[in-house]
Amino acid sequence: MSSGPKQLGDLLGGLDPSLAKAFEGLGKSVMADAERQKAASEPAQSGAQESQEGPTRRVAPIQARNQGKALTPASSQANEHHGPTPVLTQQIDLFIATGRAAMPKDELATMEHPVYAIEDGDQRILSYEHNGVTLEVTPSVKGRATIHDKDIVLTCVSKVVAAVNRGEAVSRTVSIKAHDVLTFTNRSTSGRGYELLEQALERLAGTRIKTSIATGKPARRRTKGFGLIDAWETITRGPNNRLEELRITLSEFTFDAAMALEVLSIDQDYFKLRKATEKRLYELARKHCGNQGRWKVGLELLQKKVGSRQPLFKFRAAVRGIGEEGSLPSYHLIFLHADDSVVFYGRGDAGLAAMESDLVSLPKPKAEGSRRKSVRRPAKKEI
């Protein structure tokens, strides 16, 4: 794989034209992406490894600290010979989210399932079932919370997870500067930006969820109803009543997920995506493809996971357009007409290897002129 672009170009040259068109844009950018990925691989890999290993290795010590319990030798060998463990308060009334989270985090459960709407003003009640998980989402009169509204929740979750990783006590009620939310999520800091924040909070608090998704360690399988956030409050300052501080009480569902580190690190460029479908496609790629090379999914199942209510032919066109634009952070997207499926490739060495493997296995077109044509000879005239 030392001469990646050349190999890929050679493979593309032998493909059927319709398949080659689907892959042609990747050959130009994949190696540049691989180089950028390699340059940033060490901090990214350490963050991803921490987020994925956390639930099995670090949850017990963190939860013990936040419940006011001393760590036992079985749960933390680091404190075995260093005297008593400092005991933190069981619960604080308000977690003040100061400083910048090291890396944005997303909740595993809402990455997997279409909890958030991808259309503005969605007033439908969503009923969803997949692999034994049931989900019912009921909007308020203000509409169902959208995936853009979710950015506020992700900001709070990122701050809580960063504090948990530092061993700090946290609370379900998060105090955060409104300006920090806008800058963290790559939004406008104009007056209109602050107005939209308040509207998003209303939708988040008004949208009700009933689900059997389990969060927390140990996982508790239950069907429970709740809001995406439990409560919110805004604090303004100055003669113009400019919004300065938000106080957001996360739902137990979200807070349990954050405390159990049931999260994944996401690319900061996720917040630069302006199309709701793009954001959902990225979430699904991050959840299912991750740092592997490839994830393939049928279009109908993908539409179900995205939560789109478009006719299938319109959703197909939208997905194909996003793939041609190459706008997803960390992933390439290819739509395959042959079996109406979508393939996500990582923008790194693993993705390039998977892409080359797929190209080698694709059928080659028949050589032109290989079929013998019968020539009709004129009948000889009798003399």
Side-chain angles (χ1 to χ4, degrees):
M1 202 160 56
S2 59
S3 58
K6 182 177 180 181
Q7 293 176 13
L8 196 58
D10 292 341
L11 291 165
L12 286 171
L15 283 180
D16 181 89
S18 62
L19 289 172
K21 184 177 180 181
F23 282 91
E24 62 185 354
L26 302 185
K28 299 177 183 178
S29 61
V30 69
M31 285 307 294
D33 290 331
E35 290 299 323
R36 286 194 294 268
Q37 184 80 6
K38 189 177 294 183
S41 61
E42 292 185 4
Q45 288 175 0
S46 63
Q49 183 176 3
E50 179 180 327
S51 65
Q52 292 178 3
E53 293 180 355
T56 57
R57 188 168 52 87
R58 303 179 57 190
V59 170
I62 293 167
Q63 288 181 332
R65 285 198 296 267
N66 283 281
Q67 292 172 1
K69 299 177 182 177
L71 299 180
T72 63
S75 62
S76 178
Q77 296 180 359
N79 292 310
E80 187 173 357
H81 303 293
H82 298 283
T85 302
V87 177
L88 302 180
T89 57
Q90 180 175 358
Q91 188 69 259
I92 57 177
D93 294 330
L94 183 68
F95 167 56
I96 300 175
T98 57
R100 187 175 179 86
M103 188 175 293
K105 307 292 183 183
D106 203 341
E107 310 166 85
L108 285 170
T110 56
M111 293 173 81
E112 171 70 17
H113 307 292
V115 173
Y116 293 85
I118 62 170
E119 291 102 359
D120 293 334
D122 192 345
Q123 293 284 353
R124 64 173 178 157
I125 297 176
L126 172 69
S127 295
Y128 171 90
E129 189 278 328
H130 185 67
N131 288 341
V133 170
T134 60
L135 176 67
E136 183 178 280
V137 187
T138 305
S140 69
V141 294
K142 298 293 180 76
R144 185 171 150 213
T146 70
I147 195 165
H148 297 297
D149 300 337
K150 183 183 179 181
D151 291 353
I152 300 172
V153 178
L154 296 189
T155 305
C156 295
V157 167
S158 301
K159 297 283 190 178
V160 169
V161 170
V164 167
N165 283 328
R166 293 192 297 266
E168 299 174 5
V170 294
S171 166
R172 280 207 297 136
T173 301
V174 179
S175 172
I176 190 167
K177 297 293 183 183
H179 186 268
D180 287 350
V181 176
L182 293 174
T183 54
F184 188 78
T185 59
N186 197 47
R187 297 189 180 204
S188 169
T189 55
S190 65
R192 179 62 175 162
Y194 287 90
E195 291 176 13
L196 293 175
L197 267 185
E198 192 163 329
Q199 294 174 18
L201 289 169
E202 290 179 341
R203 288 189 294 270
L204 287 166
T207 300
R208 304 295 300 176
I209 310 296
K210 184 169 72 173
T211 184
S212 63
I213 301 172
T215 61
K217 298 291 183 181
R220 293 171 287 171
R221 178 66 62 180
R222 61 185 186 268
T223 298
K224 187 174 182 180
F226 53 91
L228 289 172
I229 60 174
D230 274 5
W232 61 274
E233 178 184 1
T234 59
I235 299 174
T236 58
R237 298 279 192 275
N240 296 326
N241 287 326
R242 185 175 179 85
L243 178 59
E244 182 172 291
E245 182 184 351
L246 303 176
R247 292 189 177 180
I248 301 169
T249 303
L250 299 172
S251 67
E252 287 185 6
F253 178 89
T254 299
F255 187 69
D256 287 349
M259 289 298 296
L261 300 182
E262 293 175 349
V263 296
L264 283 177
S265 299
I266 59 173
D267 197 304
Q268 186 71 51
D269 286 344
Y270 166 84
F271 296 116
K272 294 181 181 179
L273 299 175
R274 291 294 174 252
K275 296 177 183 176
T277 302
E278 284 179 317
K279 298 184 94 163
R280 274 300 290 150
L281 290 174
Y282 171 80
E283 283 190 319
L284 289 166
R286 179 68 184 94
K287 170 68 171 57
H288 291 282
C289 187
N291 296 323
Q292 303 174 48
R294 176 185 185 274
W295 176 53
K296 183 177 180 179
V297 59
L299 187 71
E300 290 189 10
L301 178 57
L302 182 64
Q303 184 182 33
K304 179 181 179 181
K305 285 178 170 289
V306 167
S308 171
R309 58 179 179 177
Q310 291 179 307
L312 187 62
F313 76 93
K314 288 189 176 180
F315 180 72
R316 181 185 294 111
V319 170
R320 187 171 54 204
I322 291 169
E324 291 172 354
E325 291 171 7
S327 56
L328 295 186
S330 307
Y331 301 98
H332 293 293
L333 182 159
I334 290 292
F335 173 73
L336 298 179
H337 292 268
D339 56 359
D340 212 25
S341 65
V342 177
V343 185
F344 295 87
Y345 294 101
R347 292 179 181 260
D349 290 341
L352 177 59
M355 198 182 305
E356 290 181 344
S357 175
D358 285 354
L359 288 170
V360 168
S361 65
L362 287 172
K364 301 291 187 278
K366 295 181 179 179
E368 293 184 5
S370 60
R371 180 178 295 178
R372 178 180 280 179
K373 295 182 180 179
S374 59
V375 180
R376 190 171 186 178
R377 297 181 181 179
K380 294 182 179 180
K381 292 182 180 181
E382 295 183 1
I383 301 175

